[in-house]
């Protein structure tokens, strides 16, 4: 009886504790974001004197200065081209590989899957020098094309592991029924597996988009200082000059580059939710 009476108290304490931790975590995210946004409308004097106060006037001149000084519009366009091309290439490579691994029941399939998983153990900086030599040997050094081919190679281990796990959850009866109707392997992949794996595809797209968009080291070295091809992450540090840093302009430029990330995250998150709800209703 005593234990039974203590259960509501434990549940209440656990609920209060979890709620308090959730609010603390929310504050840890919201306060820096608030500081980041309001600072993009201030100058250095206002930022240091009253860091959390609202700006006296909502002046958008910092955004114009950042866009003009670092050529952010061109840099965003380059990042969009590079990211979209790398995402398409990643899916074109990961989907067939995951389909083959999901259908394989033997040791060879498990071995190949483990080989892909080993990609998680390779730090990015360890492959920097061999990648530099390869780009130079192919004549693609200081070229955006090589970065488009490189980024999918870094994303394939995670993409294949995620998509393979989703495809393995699909009942084999669906594939057998499609095969009995005369569907080829490519048709089975396109008509059976892909519609069901939309949540996995959306997850892979979201994770890889964040990784590709925020890539800095490899685009900096492989593309170089060419302003016509440099991505947004390479362009942003040019807002810092020798005479000093205008933090309002720097934060305004960073905020400008975060808008595409927010839009893509919102779209893919909704697609993932719709796909999960649709699958639950059909189930």
């Amino acid at each position: 009886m005593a234990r039974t009476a203590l259960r509501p108290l434990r549940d209440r304490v656990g609920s209060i504790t979890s709620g308090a931790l959730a609010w603390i975590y929310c504050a840890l995210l919201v306060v820096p974001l608030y500081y980041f946004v309001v600072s993009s409308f201030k100058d250095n004097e206002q930022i240091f004197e009253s860091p959390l106060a609202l700006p006296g006037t909502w002046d958008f001149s910092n955004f114009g200065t950042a866009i003009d000084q670092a050529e952010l519009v061109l840099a965003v366009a380059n990042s969009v081209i590079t990211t979209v091309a790398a995402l398409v290439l990643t899916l074109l490579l990961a989907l067939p590989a995951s389909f083959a691994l999901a259908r394989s029941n033997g040791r060879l399939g498990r071995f190949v899957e483990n080989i892909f998983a080993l990609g998680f153990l390779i730090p990015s900086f360890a492959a920097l020098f061999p990648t530099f030599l390869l780009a130079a040997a192919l004549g693609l050094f200081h070229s955006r094309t090589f970065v488009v081919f490189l980024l999918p190679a870094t994303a394939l281990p995670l993409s294949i592991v995620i998509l393979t796990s989703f495809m393995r959850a699909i009942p084999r009866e669906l594939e057998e029924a499609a095969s009995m109707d005369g569907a080829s392997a490519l048709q089975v992949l396109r008509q059976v597996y892909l519609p069901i794996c939309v949540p996995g595809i959306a997850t892979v797209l979201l994770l890889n988009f964040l990784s590709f968009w925020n890539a800095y080291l490899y685009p900096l070295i492989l593309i170089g200082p060419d302003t016509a091809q440099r991505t947004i992450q390479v362009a942003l540090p040019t807002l810092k000059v020798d005479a000093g840093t205008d933090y309002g302009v720097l934060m305004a430029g960073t905020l400008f580059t975060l808008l595409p990330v927010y839009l893509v995250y919102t779209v893919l998150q909704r697609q993932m939710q719709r796909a999960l709800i649709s699958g639950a209703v059909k189930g």
Side-chain angles (χ1 to χ4, degrees):
M1 293 294 292
R3 292 182 179 179
T4 305
L6 287 176
R7 285 181 182 176
L9 179 60
R10 291 177 180 176
D11 294 342
R12 187 174 181 180
V13 172
S15 178
I16 294 174
T17 303
S18 60
L21 292 176
W23 280 108
I24 293 173
Y25 180 71
C26 181
L28 292 175
L29 295 178
V30 171
V31 172
L33 179 61
Y34 166 80
Y35 171 77
F36 177 75
V37 172
V38 297
S39 296
S40 63
F41 296 93
K42 300 178 182 179
D43 55 23
N44 282 352
E45 182 178 355
Q46 293 177 334
I47 291 175
F48 290 110
E49 287 184 356
S50 53
L52 296 180
L54 291 173
T57 58
W58 295 90
D59 187 6
F60 289 85
S61 61
N62 286 342
F63 291 90
T65 303
I67 291 172
D68 293 338
Q69 183 177 336
E71 299 183 16
L72 293 185
V73 174
L74 178 60
V76 167
N78 289 331
S79 289
V80 169
I81 294 172
T82 303
T83 301
V84 171
L87 286 175
V88 171
L89 184 57
T90 301
L91 285 182
L92 289 177
L93 296 173
L95 285 171
S98 302
F99 177 60
L101 292 175
R103 299 175 70 196
S104 176
N105 294 323
R107 294 181 179 179
L108 180 59
R110 292 287 182 180
F111 175 76
V112 174
E113 185 177 358
N114 291 333
I115 292 297
F116 278 110
L118 289 177
F120 296 116
L121 304 178
I122 303 176
S124 59
F125 64 86
L128 182 60
F129 186 66
T131 302
F132 166 78
L133 294 179
L134 180 61
L138 295 176
L140 296 177
F141 189 59
H142 283 180
S143 170
R144 186 174 55 199
T145 303
F146 188 82
V147 177
V148 171
F149 287 107
L150 173 68
L151 292 178
T154 63
L156 278 178
L158 179 62
S159 302
I160 290 177
V161 169
I162 293 176
L163 291 175
T164 301
S165 63
F166 270 90
M167 291 184 179
R168 280 210 178 100
I170 299 175
R172 283 296 183 93
E173 290 77 8
L174 296 177
E175 179 182 349
E176 294 173 357
S179 300
M180 291 179 63
D181 292 336
S184 62
L186 181 60
Q187 290 174 328
V188 170
L189 172 62
R190 187 176 66 250
Q191 299 175 6
V192 177
Y193 279 77
L194 292 187
I196 302 177
C197 289
V198 170
I201 295 174
T203 302
V204 167
L205 285 175
L206 179 58
L207 294 177
N208 288 337
F209 173 83
L210 295 175
S211 177
F212 296 166
W213 185 268
N214 295 322
Y216 173 73
L217 180 61
Y218 280 94
L220 173 66
I221 295 176
L222 297 177
I223 296 178
D226 185 5
T227 57
Q229 298 190 75
R230 69 183 181 186
T231 59
I232 187 63
Q233 303 302 332
V234 179
L236 274 178
T238 62
L239 292 174
K240 182 177 180 180
V241 296
D242 296 334
T245 300
D246 191 334
Y247 292 100
V249 173
L250 180 61
M251 293 186 182
T254 306
L255 184 61
F256 176 78
T257 64
L258 290 179
L259 294 178
V261 177
Y262 175 76
L263 293 176
V264 170
Y265 176 79
T266 302
V267 171
L268 291 179
Q269 184 185 40
R270 290 178 179 177
Q271 290 183 354
M272 289 173 62
Q273 291 175 350
R274 290 174 183 174
L276 289 172
I277 295 174
S278 177
V281 172
K282 290 180 180 178

